[in-house]
Amino acid sequence: MNYPKVILKSGKDQSVRRYHPWIFSGAIKKIMGHVNEGDLVLVTDNKDEFLAIGHYQIGSIAIRIISFEEKEIDKSFWTEKIVSAYNLRKEFGLAENENNNVYRLVHAEGDGLPGLIIDYYNGTAVLQMHSIGMYLNIENIVQALKEVYGEQLTAVYDKSESTIPFKSDIEAKNGYVYGVSNEKLVLEYGNKFRVNWEEGQKTGFFIDQRENRKLLSEYSKDKAVLNVFGYTGGFSVSAMQGGANLVHTVDSSKKAIDLTNENIELNFEDTSRHEAYAVDAFEFLNDIDHKYDIIILDPPAFAKHHNVLSNALQGYKRLNAKAIEKVRPGGLIFTFSCSQVVSKDNFRKTVFTAAANTGRNVRILHQLSQPIDHPINIYHPESEYLKGLVIYVE
Ligand code: SAH
C-alpha cells in the first residue's frame, strides 16, 4: 500500500486501538511526505506498528478512519461497505418492504464510513458528505449504489454544498450525479409522504423518527394531539393514522406547514380533523390550556456546539416546562432532542427540572432513541444523537 504515513505520538494510539474512528490533530507526531486534504493515509503508532487507514483533513479531526485492516482501498472496498449497509437494512425489514421505501442506507460512523450519509427515497439516493475524503470518492460511491440497487436506482443527488468544510478548496454544489428525479412519493409504514430533497431540510425528510412516529400512532386513538415543530407533518400523519380525533401541527415555517397539509391530504380523504399553524412554538404553547392529550416536541438542534450548550439546555427546559404545564391531566408528551452535544443524561435532567418547575407529577413511560438504520457505533458514542422521552403527566 502506497499511502503516506502518519505517525501518532506515544500513548495517542489508545483510542484507535479501541476502534474510535477519529484522530485529532494533536495526536499526530509526524506526517511522512506530502498529504493533501482528502488523501488516504496509513496511521501507525510511534513504533511503526500499523493501526488504521483513513481520510486526512485539515482541522481538529485530522483523520477519519475507514479501515482498521491493512488493505487496499479500491472499488471493491466501497461496494463491500455499501452492500453490508444494505444487507443490514434488508435483514431487519426496511429495504425490500412494500410498506416502506425510505430509510437511511449509510449512517456515517454508525456504518463504518465517517463523513458519509446516504438516505434512500424510493429509488433516489441522497448523499451528504461531511469530509473531503468522502467527497473525492463520489464516483466509487455512485458505482457501488448502482451495483446494489440495479434498475431500482433512478437518481443520485449530491447535497453536500452546506456540509463540506467551507475552508476546503473544494466548491461543492448540490446536484444530480446520476439520473434526475426531483421529488418522490415515499412510504413509511404504509403512510405516504412527498419528499423533495432539493428544497427540503437535511436530505428532505426526518427518517430517524420512524419508530417514534409509529409509537405515537399506537397512543393516538380518540386523542387530541398537538405536533410542535412539525416540518413535513410526519408525527401528524401517524397520529391521524392511529385514530386521533383532532391533530394540530405547528411550525414557524410556512413552507413546512404547506408540506404538512399536502402530506395529510395524500393520506386522508377527510382532513377535517387536522389543522396546521405557521406560528412560533413558544407563542403557540402559551395559550393551549389543557386542550391536548398528547403533545409532541421535536425541535431543531438547539445546540450545535459545546460552547452554546447551556443556552440550549435553557431552551429545552423552557419548552418542556410549557408543555408539561399545559397538557391535559393524564396526558402524554413525546419530547426529543437531536443535538449531538446534549447527552441523554443532560436531556433527562433538563426535562426533570422543567417538570419540577411545574409541580406536576410526571412519570417516564418510554426512553426513545434512533432506529436501526441510524445504528450507533459502540466505539463512537458520538453517533448517538437522538434522544426522546415519553412522559405521563398527571
Ligand atoms: N418533527 C419533524 C422534524 C422537525 S425539524 C419530523 O418528524 O419530520 C424542526 C422544525 O422546527 C423545522 O421544520 C423548523 O421550521 C421548525 N422550527 C424551528 N424553530 C421553530 C420555532 N421557534 N417555532 C416553531 N417551529 C420552529
Side-chain angles (χ1 to χ4, degrees):
M1 255 150 297
N2 229 349
Y3 307 128
K5 201 187 278 180
V6 174
I7 304 168
L8 301 189
K9 291 177 186 161
S10 157
K12 294 292 185 189
D13 54 331
Q14 286 308 319
S15 84
V16 189
R17 292 194 192 278
R18 284 190 309 255
Y19 305 107
H20 195 286
W22 295 345
I23 294 172
F24 291 96
S25 55
I28 294 175
K29 180 176 159 191
K30 199 169 178 189
I31 300 177
M32 313 290 283
H34 183 74
V35 182
N36 288 316
E37 275 204 285
D39 281 354
L40 283 168
V41 292
L42 197 143
V43 184
T44 72
D45 68 7
N46 75 331
K47 297 205 178 73
D48 207 31
E49 194 178 316
F50 171 85
L51 293 170
I53 297 171
H55 287 137
Y56 176 78
Q57 194 161 304
I58 296 167
S60 141
I61 305 172
I63 299 168
R64 287 171 172 81
I65 295 171
I66 60 168
S67 175
F68 289 94
E69 280 168 55
E70 199 163 359
K71 64 173 175 195
E72 206 63 57
I73 308 299
D74 50 15
K75 281 199 168 73
S76 65
F77 167 87
W78 295 99
T79 309
E80 274 166 32
K81 283 280 194 191
I82 289 179
V83 165
S84 143
Y86 178 80
N87 285 343
L88 183 87
R89 276 77 180 163
K90 188 176 154 199
E91 186 173 349
F92 297 107
L94 288 176
E96 296 178 33
N97 175 339
E98 58 178 35
N99 284 315
N100 192 79
N101 52 31
V102 46
Y103 51 87
R104 177 154 290 186
L105 173 68
V106 172
H107 184 53
E109 286 84 358
D111 284 293
L113 291 170
L116 178 64
I117 298 284
I118 307 180
D119 286 339
Y120 181 80
Y121 294 109
N122 184 17
T124 296
V126 182
L127 314 181
Q128 267 196 333
M129 324 263 185
H130 293 256
S131 76
I132 316 291
M134 280 298 165
Y135 197 76
L136 298 178
N137 274 286
I138 200 158
E139 269 175 36
N140 287 328
I141 293 163
V142 172
Q143 194 50 43
L145 286 170
K146 285 184 190 164
E147 277 175 48
V148 169
Y149 289 107
E151 301 259 286
Q152 262 184 63
L153 188 72
T154 46
V156 180
Y157 185 67
D158 170 26
K159 202 175 181 184
S160 307
E161 195 172 309
S162 62
T163 56
I164 282 292
F166 68 94
K167 283 191 205 130
S168 70
D169 51 16
I170 283 178
E171 278 196 32
K173 285 267 167 270
N174 292 342
Y176 291 91
V177 284
Y178 171 69
V180 176
S181 153
N182 32 21
E183 156 173 294
K184 277 270 164 70
L185 198 65
V186 303
L187 283 177
E188 175 190 275
Y189 279 123
N191 291 327
K192 295 178 204 132
F193 294 96
R194 197 172 292 288
V195 178
N196 184 322
W197 36 88
E198 288 184 27
E199 288 174 15
Q201 301 176 38
K202 301 270 169 86
T203 66
F205 188 64
F206 285 76
I207 304 173
D208 54 0
Q209 291 285 24
R210 178 196 315 108
E211 306 306 322
N212 303 331
R213 290 185 193 118
K214 175 147 186 283
L215 184 69
L216 171 69
S217 76
E218 289 159 15
Y219 280 105
S220 296
K221 183 124 189 62
D222 299 328
K223 302 291 188 210
V225 179
L226 172 63
N227 178 15
V228 192
F229 306 98
Y231 187 37
T232 57
F235 280 103
S236 304
V237 170
S238 298
M240 298 268 287
Q241 191 63 52
N245 58 26
L246 174 145
V247 178
H248 287 169
T249 308
V250 170
D251 198 293
S252 54
S253 141
K254 173 72 174 61
K255 219 173 190 175
I257 292 302
D258 292 344
L259 282 170
T260 296
N261 282 327
E262 200 183 324
N263 285 326
I264 296 280
E265 279 160 26
L266 266 176
N267 289 280
F268 308 98
E269 238 167 67
D270 176 6
T271 61
S272 60
R273 289 181 287 153
H274 179 259
E275 203 70 56
Y277 303 89
V279 289
D280 177 75
F282 289 88
E283 263 171 45
F284 191 90
L285 287 170
N286 272 334
D287 34 49
I288 57 155
D289 287 338
H290 296 182
K291 208 156 106 190
Y292 301 102
D293 303 294
I294 303 180
I295 300 177
I296 297 105
L297 302 174
D298 185 23
F302 284 166
K304 295 222 161 104
H305 299 285
H306 278 285
N307 49 8
V308 292
L309 182 60
S310 78
N311 277 351
L313 293 178
Q314 275 307 111
Y316 287 116
K317 192 179 81 189
R318 247 177 6 108
L319 184 67
N320 281 277
K322 274 216 165 126
I324 297 170
E325 186 193 328
K326 308 272 181 173
V327 73
R328 215 174 250 173
L332 295 177
I333 300 174
F334 284 61
T335 180
F336 298 95
S337 162
C338 59
S339 303
Q340 200 175 58
V341 297
V342 175
S343 70
K344 211 196 249 170
D345 268 3
N346 256 340
F347 182 59
R348 185 154 156 186
K349 274 186 205 137
T350 304
V351 178
F352 159 90
T353 315
N357 284 354
T358 68
R360 293 184 78 174
N361 220 345
V362 171
R363 279 174 268 184
I364 296 174
L365 305 189
H366 296 273
Q367 305 189 48
L368 306 176
S369 181
Q370 56 210 63
I372 59 133
D373 51 336
H374 295 61
I376 300 159
N377 177 344
I378 199 163
Y379 305 113
H380 179 257
E382 296 90 336
S383 34
E384 180 171 12
Y385 69 98
L386 183 63
K387 297 141 297 261
L389 294 172
V390 180
I391 55 176
Y392 176 79
V393 185
E394 269 178 45

